Amino acid sequence: MIPITAVDVSEAEPLVIEVLRSGDIAAGPMVQRLEDGFAELVGTRHAIAVNNGTTALVAALQVLDLPPDAEVVTSPFTFVATLNAILQAGATARFADIDPDTFTVAPDTVNAALTARTAALLPVHLYGQPADMAALAPLARRAGLPIVEDAAQAIGARTAGRPVGSHGLGCFSLYATKNVTTAEGGMITTDDDTLAERLRLLRNQGMHGRYDYALAGHNYRMTDLHAALGIPQLARLDELTAARRRNARALTEGLAGTPGLRTPVVGGHAEHVWHQYTVRVTEQARVSRDELAERLTAAGVGSGIYYPRLVFDYDCYREHPRVRTGPLPAAAAAAAQVLSLPVHPRLTAAELSTIITTVREILG
Ligand SMILES: *Cc1c(COP(=O)(O)O)cnc(C)c1O
């Protein structure tokens, strides 16, 4: 089976052993090293490590001190953590539609979703492709709204000359399947000294000095054992991303002209990091999207549907008092058509050609 993701953390062994031998296995020098690496990558003054990407989003929203009736405008086509974080932070979620080419929120629909209660924008850089920040950042500035970027899938991506995560509060995930992993982990990036200070307090029970509490906090800490896993990957990120880009190019060339299949489109100015390589299986295809996925599995090619439904399209959210839905035709069409194929850095040339020939055989 050619897996949809493959993780290699073997390079971290010496660092993990160093932590074990030090006896200092909770927060310490490795967390600091990982934070420094992230701040450098994103070009922000601060990076604050937390225990997962969902926590990063929750904490980012919490330090903004949103009013009780605050609405956060986000994408309906995302992993459920985006929505859960908004709800966990006590805010109301409102959705903008997506751009059908990039799968990220379309700025004109974000503009249309703004209300008197809108308190933050939460674009999602889906599949490793940045949302249109060149349009969203000025839109937020004009409306006086902070930006929280869900960059969980987009470590190292850039758009309009700037790294994702540098437009306000950047939230990254270091979960096992993400482009850089610490098994579980998250990171928040910001240039704002006050927010950074509050995030560090919030992460550690609101504690200034020993038993001196400045705010009602939580335990959002990352451990040194986890941080050690991510340090070598972050150091090699350019190389790992270059491999993803090469694989994406090979897939797009190899799959070009396949009937009923649309290969991914990279938006203008976007530097995509290919967390996922996601095609659309259109109505013209000989088989349905789901049948293509089944036949790929039978042929030993892994694939994934990210995501089969809009994020709120479940009873627990449809009936939730703090979820505001509406018609979102572009996102609904994407959910019905998308299929992600393996693009991870460990793919071999032979595996890439197996993926291409198998898809072409099934679609004719
Ligand atoms: C993975 C992911 C998250 C959450 O990250 P965890 O580390 O799993 O908590 C949030 N948003 C998106 C878009 C993700 O893909």
Side-chain angles (χ1 to χ4, degrees):
M1 192 78 186
I2 303 173
I4 183 84
T5 57
V7 187
D8 181 7
V9 290
S10 55
E11 288 175 304
E13 201 177 312
L15 290 178
V16 172
I17 289 170
E18 192 182 320
V19 176
L20 293 176
R21 290 196 176 141
S22 77
D24 198 7
I25 56 176
M30 296 294 173
V31 169
Q32 182 70 53
R33 271 173 72 179
L34 192 70
E35 290 180 335
D36 291 348
F38 255 88
E40 192 186 325
L41 175 73
V42 181
T44 49
R45 290 163 57 80
H46 306 280
I48 298 102
V50 291
N51 54 355
N52 62 62
T54 310
T55 301
L57 288 164
V58 171
L61 291 166
Q62 284 175 330
V63 287
L64 291 176
D65 255 338
L66 305 178
D69 59 353
E71 288 182 2
V72 175
V73 176
T74 192
S75 173
F77 195 52
T78 181
F79 180 55
V80 74
T82 315
L83 174 54
N84 283 340
I86 293 170
L87 298 175
Q88 179 67 33
T92 295
R94 189 180 282 281
F95 299 94
D97 207 357
I98 62 166
D99 173 322
D101 284 333
T102 66
F103 302 110
T104 62
V105 278
D108 56 330
T109 68
V110 171
N111 199 38
L114 300 183
T115 72
R117 291 179 175 170
T118 311
L121 300 188
L122 205 169
V124 181
H125 306 305
L126 199 72
Y127 307 143
Q129 163 122 275
D132 184 359
M133 298 313 293
L136 292 170
L139 189 159
R141 216 174 300 124
R142 278 196 305 275
L145 298 170
I147 296 178
V148 175
E149 297 174 71
D150 184 339
Q153 301 185 2
I155 299 170
R158 300 168 63 90
T159 184
R162 278 180 69 169
V164 300
S166 67
H167 293 272
L169 289 157
C171 300
F172 295 87
S173 166
L174 301 165
Y175 178 63
T177 59
K178 300 289 157 72
N179 287 22
V180 173
T181 179
T182 59
E184 293 272 12
M187 192 69 69
I188 309 161
T189 50
T190 183
D191 268 330
D192 187 310
D193 298 346
T194 309
L195 292 180
E197 170 64 10
R198 295 195 60 211
L199 283 164
R200 290 199 179 93
L201 288 172
L202 188 60
R203 165 176 76 174
N204 190 26
Q205 310 287 6
M207 193 159 73
H208 246 315
R210 202 170 174 78
Y211 306 127
D212 176 15
Y213 306 105
L215 53 83
H218 209 287
N219 175 357
Y220 292 153
R221 296 186 303 263
M222 177 186 278
T223 73
D224 251 27
L225 267 180
H226 288 96
L229 290 175
I231 290 167
Q233 293 164 66
L234 199 59
R236 257 190 347 112
L237 185 63
D238 283 351
E239 193 189 314
L240 294 168
T241 302
R244 288 180 183 271
R245 288 187 174 136
R246 272 198 306 278
N247 294 344
R249 209 174 312 123
L251 289 168
T252 292
E253 279 168 21
L255 293 169
T258 308
L261 188 103
R262 250 172 70 197
T263 54
V265 178
V266 181
H269 313 297
E271 294 175 40
H272 199 314
V273 295
W274 302 103
H275 174 61
Q276 298 294 351
Y277 180 91
T278 304
V279 298
R280 279 179 186 264
V281 183
T282 69
E283 274 148 27
Q284 284 74 49
R286 201 160 76 174
V287 301
S288 71
R289 184 266 312 268
D290 292 3
E291 190 179 340
L292 173 59
E294 273 167 37
R295 290 178 59 178
L296 284 170
T297 307
V301 175
S303 66
I305 298 171
Y306 311 109
Y307 296 90
R309 296 197 200 183
L310 299 190
V311 71
F312 55 77
D313 190 16
Y314 299 85
D315 287 346
C316 58
Y317 299 118
R318 268 193 304 260
E319 288 153 25
H320 196 291
R322 288 189 283 114
V323 175
R324 300 279 139 78
T325 65
L328 299 155
Q337 293 187 330
V338 290
L339 185 69
S340 299
L341 300 171
V343 73
H344 60 79
R346 290 168 65 77
L347 287 176
T348 63
E351 288 173 328
L352 280 166
S353 96
T354 301
I355 297 165
I356 292 163
T357 48
T358 311
V359 171
R360 294 196 78 107
E361 270 164 29
I362 298 168
L363 291 178

